[in-house]
Amino acid sequence: MRILGIESSCDETAAAVVTDDRAVLSNVIYSQTLEHLAYSGVVPEIAARAHLEKIDIVVKKAITDAGMTASDLDAVAGTCGPGLIGGVIVGATFAKAMSFSLGIPFIAINHIEAHALCARLTNDVNFPYLLLLASGGHCQICIAHGVEQFEIIGKTLDDSVGESFDKAAKMMDLGYPGGPAVEKLSHNGNPDRFNLPRPLCSKDSLDFSFSGLKTAVRITIEKHIQSEQDKADLCASFQRTVNDVLSYKMSSALCLCKSRNINLDAVVISGGVAANKSIRNSMQLICNRHEVRFCAPPINLCTDNGVMIAWNGVEKARDNKFDDLDFRPRPRWPLKETAA
Ligand code: KG4
Ligand code: ZN
């Protein structure tokens, strides 16, 4: 089974072909970073237009890179949400049009679920696994019990982790996207210089809150930041703080799983923030301590890509879960939750 995946929910126009025996036949990503750079963030209208300009080129290349023609495809999977609706409509409509013209099934993909399942492709992870989903739009801890079966045990009450990286970077004029910029500068900084708040870390809850951290970063900038070294120190201190919060919550989540006798196959981190090497290292350390396998997709598959969409298509096609062409793109679309 060869499935084409199309992604267009934010600022990457991406397409890939993946097979049901876990071969990635192609992976094409056009990043709109240059289009949005001047605005220090994604401008929805510009994003939608840029997707429209590039989508046919990206999809065509994904099919030719896979060494096939469109008629060799068995199904088309397209992100139908959540995300910036203009871009989602572009990708979803393109995927539906291909499905209609080729006479093959269409699969509507939830972008968050695609991040959540990606490690099953790249690291052969089995259910159940503990998942930290940390992207620009989301921050959740889930126990993944199956496809479309996610038990959400922790979530952010305000900003996502990626958003807090992006806002910190914007306040320090580090450009966009913020996460990689903060990570890069933090290499030259002193993580002990600034003591930033670690919200909700003393509470018996797996929820997150990052808005106080953002305010603390703003106040620190106003009071202390003059030189490049000051910025590097703040980046390092910020990254250390985020790391501490994520580590604390994941440790607590692992204890919860243990108390419920859930036999986890692995701990997985996915979403754009999972590209951060120091966060990956911290998660590895926690997993060593708890004697559980740690997995994260390779860095290029943590941020948005078509491979994860195609793979989610494979997972749904295996269960014969196809969608009608009148499936409506959704700006909001929470993960399908399952009870404990
Ligand atoms: O998954 P993603 O590409 O898009 C969404 O689904 O939101 O995640 C993008 C987010 C952005 O907030 C970006 O700053 C963050 O992931 N990010 C990182 C890194 N690379 C991307 N955050 C921290 N460190 C990184 N290296
Ligand atoms: Zn994403």
Side-chain angles (χ1 to χ4, degrees):
M1 186 162 54
R2 285 160 291 194
I3 297 195
L4 171 71
I6 299 178
E7 158 60 31
S8 62
S9 65
C10 190
D11 55 345
E12 266 96 22
T13 318
V17 179
V18 173
T19 70
D20 58 338
D21 50 6
R22 301 185 27 242
V24 175
L25 301 185
S26 62
N27 177 20
V28 182
I29 303 177
Y30 173 77
S31 171
Q32 302 176 355
T33 305
L34 289 178
E35 278 91 335
H36 302 291
L37 198 57
Y39 307 93
S40 301
V42 182
V43 182
E45 181 62 26
I46 294 176
R49 285 165 192 258
H51 286 304
L52 202 53
E53 269 173 28
K54 289 288 186 294
I55 194 144
D56 53 338
I57 302 165
V58 167
V59 169
K60 206 179 274 176
K61 183 161 165 45
I63 294 169
T64 49
D65 283 4
M68 54 171 61
T69 62
S71 58
D72 296 320
L73 292 168
D74 296 298
V76 187
T79 301
C80 283
L84 301 174
I85 195 63
V88 172
I89 289 172
V90 172
T93 308
F94 201 93
K96 289 175 183 178
M98 284 190 71
S99 146
F100 181 72
S101 61
L102 295 166
I104 55 177
F106 165 69
I107 309 164
I109 300 296
N110 177 317
H111 180 92
I112 322 172
E113 183 174 59
H115 276 302
L117 296 175
C118 189
R120 284 173 47 74
L121 165 71
T122 58
N123 302 73
D124 202 8
V125 175
N126 293 309
F127 298 116
Y129 56 94
L130 182 66
L131 169 73
L132 171 61
L133 211 151
S135 69
H138 297 86
C139 183
Q140 293 174 330
I141 302 177
C142 320
I143 303 168
H145 293 285
V147 177
E148 293 188 316
Q149 286 179 51
F150 297 91
E151 183 188 343
I152 298 174
I153 56 174
K155 61 187 176 315
T156 183
L157 304 178
D158 38 58
D159 295 346
S160 72
V161 207
E163 210 175 343
S164 71
F165 268 97
D166 293 336
K167 286 177 178 169
K170 192 169 181 176
M171 286 188 272
M172 285 185 268
D173 287 327
L174 300 183
Y176 144 90
V182 170
E183 180 175 20
K184 194 167 168 216
L185 205 51
S186 70
H187 292 138
N188 311 325
N190 172 9
D192 297 321
R193 166 127 181 243
F194 298 110
N195 188 15
L196 301 168
R198 286 152 174 77
L200 299 188
C201 274
S202 52
K203 292 230 173 95
D204 189 20
S205 150
L206 294 175
D207 289 339
F208 303 93
S209 167
F210 291 105
S211 66
L213 180 57
K214 175 182 64 189
T215 308
V217 167
R218 184 176 51 72
I219 293 168
T220 308
I221 292 170
E222 285 163 9
K223 280 194 185 160
H224 301 286
I225 303 300
Q226 280 157 357
S227 66
E228 278 306 299
Q229 187 57 52
D230 293 335
K231 277 190 190 177
D233 290 346
L234 182 54
C235 285
S237 303
F238 171 83
Q239 191 171 273
R240 154 82 61 86
T241 306
V242 170
N243 243 315
D244 287 352
V245 173
L246 297 179
S247 300
Y248 178 84
K249 297 289 176 180
M250 287 303 277
S251 267
S252 306
L254 275 164
C255 291
L256 176 79
C257 291
K258 204 170 192 179
S259 72
R260 284 174 49 192
N261 290 322
I262 298 172
N263 192 12
L264 295 172
D265 184 53
V267 170
V268 171
I269 172 166
S270 69
V273 178
N276 185 294
K277 293 201 186 74
S278 86
I279 292 175
R280 293 166 84 99
N281 291 340
S282 301
M283 291 300 139
Q284 179 71 65
L285 289 177
I286 288 165
C287 290
N288 293 349
R289 216 177 301 141
H290 286 262
E291 297 180 337
V292 57
R293 178 162 79 112
F294 170 68
C295 303
I299 284 177
N300 68 323
L301 296 183
C302 288
T303 43
D304 292 348
N305 61 84
V307 172
M308 66 180 193
I309 306 302
W311 173 252
N312 198 343
V314 169
E315 297 254 36
K316 289 183 87 175
R318 279 175 177 162
D319 291 343
N320 277 318
K321 285 185 174 152
F322 301 109
D323 294 283
D324 294 332
L325 293 182
D326 62 0
F327 189 100
R328 280 183 153 224
R330 303 172 179 178
R332 290 173 206 281
W333 185 3
L335 265 186
K336 200 155 188 180
E337 260 190 83
T338 190

